[in-house]
Amino acid sequence: MALREILTYPNPILRQNAEPVTDFDESLRKLVNDMAETMYDAPGVGLAANQIGVVQQIVVIDASEEKNDLMALINPEILSGEGSQVDEEGCLSVVGLSAKVKRFNKIKVKAFDVEGKEIEFEAEEWFARVVQHEVDHLKGTLFIDHLSSLKRSLYKKKRKKQLKEEQAAKNDKQDK
Ligand code: NI
């Protein structure tokens, strides 16, 4: 297992449409293990493959409090959604922001597990939120896309400044 680097906004890979997985082989299991390790280390409740630069339809999720309920969803699809919920959301790829996002309260999901077996399940509330957030990633969508354009442009500005400062600090170090 290995920790992978988590890409952050505005990295263009986060905007790509992930490809479906066709081979349920050893390399997929290895990738899923790396993703789980990276997610727990961050720590986060979910991670999509594009967040580590792999543009394939794979997400790992552990929405449990005890962090002992790992779920890997391959080629996940949200079949239907009902009701709505509004709650605070953040993302490992969207540094320094959390905001209220509206999501379905209850969803029906179809996916495959790492062995290639088809699974179907229902998710509610917090768990449903996490699944919707991660499936969004696979379509190149970030939670900031659900915010008002004003909030989004404020974040863009903030992030630009942040990156500039990081770069300046790096250059400073190199000068010394
Ligand atoms: Ni995210």
Side-chain angles (χ1 to χ4, degrees), residues 83-102:
S84 68
Q85 52 166 324
V86 177
D87 206 349
E88 205 77 22
E89 225 168 274
C91 178
L92 296 172
S93 294
V94 182
V95 180
L97 184 75
S98 67
K100 285 204 159 84
V101 179
K102 189 174 171 187

Side-chain angles (χ1 to χ4, degrees), residues 51 90-93 133-134 137:
Q51 290 182 277
C91 178
L92 296 172
S93 294
H133 177 113
E134 299 311 327
H137 270 299

Side-chain angles (χ1 to χ4, degrees), residues 24-74:
F24 293 81
D25 54 10
E26 187 53 34
S27 69
L28 175 67
R29 279 187 285 276
K30 243 179 111 182
L31 178 62
V32 164
N33 283 339
D34 283 357
M35 286 173 63
E37 196 185 351
T38 305
M39 173 186 74
Y40 285 124
D41 179 75
V45 292
L47 189 74
N50 17 7
Q51 290 182 277
I52 58 162
V54 178
V55 193
Q56 289 186 40
Q57 294 177 14
I58 308 166
V59 305
V60 290
I61 290 172
D62 190 340
S64 70
E65 254 174 63
E66 303 80 16
K67 297 287 159 227
N68 59 3
D69 193 16
L70 179 67
M71 191 174 210
L73 302 178
I74 319 295

